[in-house]
């Protein structure tokens, strides 16, 4: 069992993590809107040139690290750490959810802009507004981090189910204003999932004293979902359409949330 002092430190860390993610997302909110406007005002490659200029400027500001860490042979073998990750029942539930949530990336990074520009016949700036609606509630992760203090697995499952439900509803939408509403509500589920997932995994990692390994292994496993989805999504859209892709992704997220519930509910986070 964790000491009371350590429990308080973990809860404070969860809140600061939420605050950090909220601040980080301010740039992600502004970027799509400005990118869409630049593409409409100038030309479609303008956002790329502006992004490159900003990145080069920021790279120059990064302080030089003088210390070097030697890479060991076992550091290059991800499978041992992934097996260690999947050994824990709770983390197997997180692996399932991470894979299906990352599998939704192609639908929103590739096919959402195509839906707005080609199917709805709107300009690039409307794509930026759509991404703004999708990410708007991420600035509230400092609040959702507080909600995750007591029962993070409940917030995790609430987030994934909300995300899945509104993704399903998006499968038949053809009105831009309604699409914005659904994106906003889906984004609320995403932000609940995001902060609570990090909170939950950090607690398990700290409890087992493998926090760095847990986070790294989770990213490796979750990316399998986006990798496979990028391979298959184009085929699905070509045969069945963009709406069907949203429908399938939403159903998968809900079904896997139900499958992960028995694994996650065993977690008893510290109560302060």
């Amino acid at each position: 069992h964790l000491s009371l002092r350590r429990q308080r430190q973990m809860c404070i860390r969860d809140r600061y993590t939420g605050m950090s993610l909220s601040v980080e997302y301010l740039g992600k909110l502004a970027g799509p809107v400005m990118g869409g406007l630049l593409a409409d005002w100038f030309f479609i490659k303008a956002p790329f040139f502006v992004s490159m200029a900003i990145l080069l400027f920021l790279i120059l500001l990064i302080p030089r690290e003088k210390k070097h860490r030697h890479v060991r042979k076992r550091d290059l073998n991800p499978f041992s750490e992934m097996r260690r990750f999947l050994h824990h029942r709770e983390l197997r539930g997180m692996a399932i959810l991470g894979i299906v949530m990352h599998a939704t990336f192609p639908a929103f990074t590739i096919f959402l802009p195509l839906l707005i520009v080609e199917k709805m016949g709107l300009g690039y700036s409307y794509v930026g507004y759509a991404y703004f609606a999708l990410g708007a509630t991420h600035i509230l992760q400092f609040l959702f981090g507080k909600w995750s203090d007591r029962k993070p697995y409940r917030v995790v499952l609430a987030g994934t189910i909300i995300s899945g439900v509104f993704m399903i509803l998006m499968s038949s939408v053809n009105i831009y204003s309604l699409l914005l509403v659904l994106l906003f509500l889906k984004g609320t589920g995403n932000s609940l999932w995001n902060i609570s997932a990090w909170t939950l995994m950090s607690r398990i990692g700290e409890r087992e004293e493998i926090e760095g390994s847990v986070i790294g292994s989770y990213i490796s496993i979750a990316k399998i979902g986006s990798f496979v989805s990028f391979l298959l999504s184009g085929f699905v859209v070509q045969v069945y359409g963009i709406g069907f892709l949203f429908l399938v992704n939403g159903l998968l997220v809900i079904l896997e949330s139900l499958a992960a519930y028995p694994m996650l509910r065993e977690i008893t986070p510290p109560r302060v």
Side-chain angles (χ1 to χ4, degrees):
H1 295 282
L2 297 173
S3 66
L4 181 60
R5 180 181 178 183
R6 193 171 179 185
Q7 292 174 17
R8 288 175 176 169
Q9 289 175 341
M10 291 172 65
C11 289
I12 291 172
R13 181 194 59 195
D14 298 339
R15 294 169 192 173
Y16 276 104
T17 300
M19 293 173 64
S20 175
L21 291 171
S22 297
V23 173
E24 175 191 343
Y25 222 85
L26 290 174
K28 293 183 179 180
L29 285 177
V33 175
M34 294 306 300
L37 291 173
L38 286 170
D40 274 346
W41 290 343
F42 300 103
F43 50 95
I44 194 169
K45 293 183 179 180
F48 295 97
F49 291 122
V50 173
S51 296
M52 285 191 296
I54 293 173
L55 284 174
L56 288 172
F57 174 74
L58 293 176
I59 288 173
L60 295 175
L61 299 179
I62 297 175
R64 301 293 189 274
E65 179 61 54
K66 296 182 179 180
K67 294 182 180 179
H68 299 281
R69 181 178 179 270
H70 295 288
V71 179
R72 297 167 295 181
K73 185 180 293 186
R74 67 180 182 180
D75 293 333
L76 302 176
N77 182 10
F79 299 105
S80 61
E81 294 299 333
M82 290 168 66
R83 285 195 298 269
R84 190 179 184 185
F85 180 94
L86 295 173
H87 175 73
H88 299 275
R89 179 178 173 84
E90 305 100 321
L91 293 177
R92 289 200 293 272
M94 288 304 302
I96 291 172
L97 293 177
I99 288 172
V100 293
M101 290 299 285
H102 278 71
T104 65
F105 284 6
F108 291 92
T109 56
I110 298 175
F111 298 106
L112 177 62
L114 292 178
L115 175 68
I116 294 171
V117 175
E118 294 189 1
K119 299 294 183 181
M120 295 184 175
L122 300 172
Y124 298 115
S125 57
Y126 290 89
V127 176
Y129 303 146
Y131 281 119
F132 183 89
L134 180 63
T137 54
H138 280 67
I139 61 174
L140 297 177
Q141 286 183 101
F142 71 93
L143 174 61
F144 300 151
K146 293 181 181 179
W147 295 359
S148 300
D149 283 344
R150 297 180 60 188
K151 298 283 187 180
Y153 82 92
R154 291 183 179 177
V155 184
V156 164
L157 293 172
T160 55
I161 290 174
I162 290 171
S163 180
V165 167
F166 287 105
M167 205 181 313
I168 292 173
L169 295 177
M170 286 176 58
S171 63
S172 58
V173 68
N174 54 14
I175 301 172
Y176 182 74
S177 57
L178 179 58
L179 176 66
L180 290 181
V181 173
L182 295 178
L183 285 170
F184 177 82
L185 295 171
K186 185 207 180 303
T188 302
N190 286 359
S191 53
L192 286 167
W193 145 260
N194 191 51
I195 179 60
S196 57
W198 291 122
T199 297
L200 189 150
M201 287 189 292
S202 294
R203 289 190 176 177
I204 298 172
E206 187 160 356
R207 185 186 69 199
E208 304 294 334
E209 298 184 348
I210 52 170
E211 190 168 0
S213 172
V214 165
I215 300 302
S217 298
Y218 167 77
I219 293 295
S220 298
I221 294 171
K223 289 298 181 181
I224 295 172
S226 57
F227 175 75
V228 174
S229 186
F230 272 113
L231 293 177
L232 298 178
S233 294
F235 171 77
V236 172
V237 169
Q238 186 174 12
V239 176
Y240 300 104
I242 295 176
F244 186 78
L245 180 64
F246 285 123
L247 175 64
V248 170
N249 281 330
L251 287 173
L252 283 174
V253 168
I254 292 175
L255 290 175
E256 295 305 323
S257 297
L258 297 177
Y261 171 69
M263 304 176 194
L264 298 180
R265 69 177 179 179
E266 293 185 355
I267 298 172
T268 306
R271 183 175 180 179
V272 179

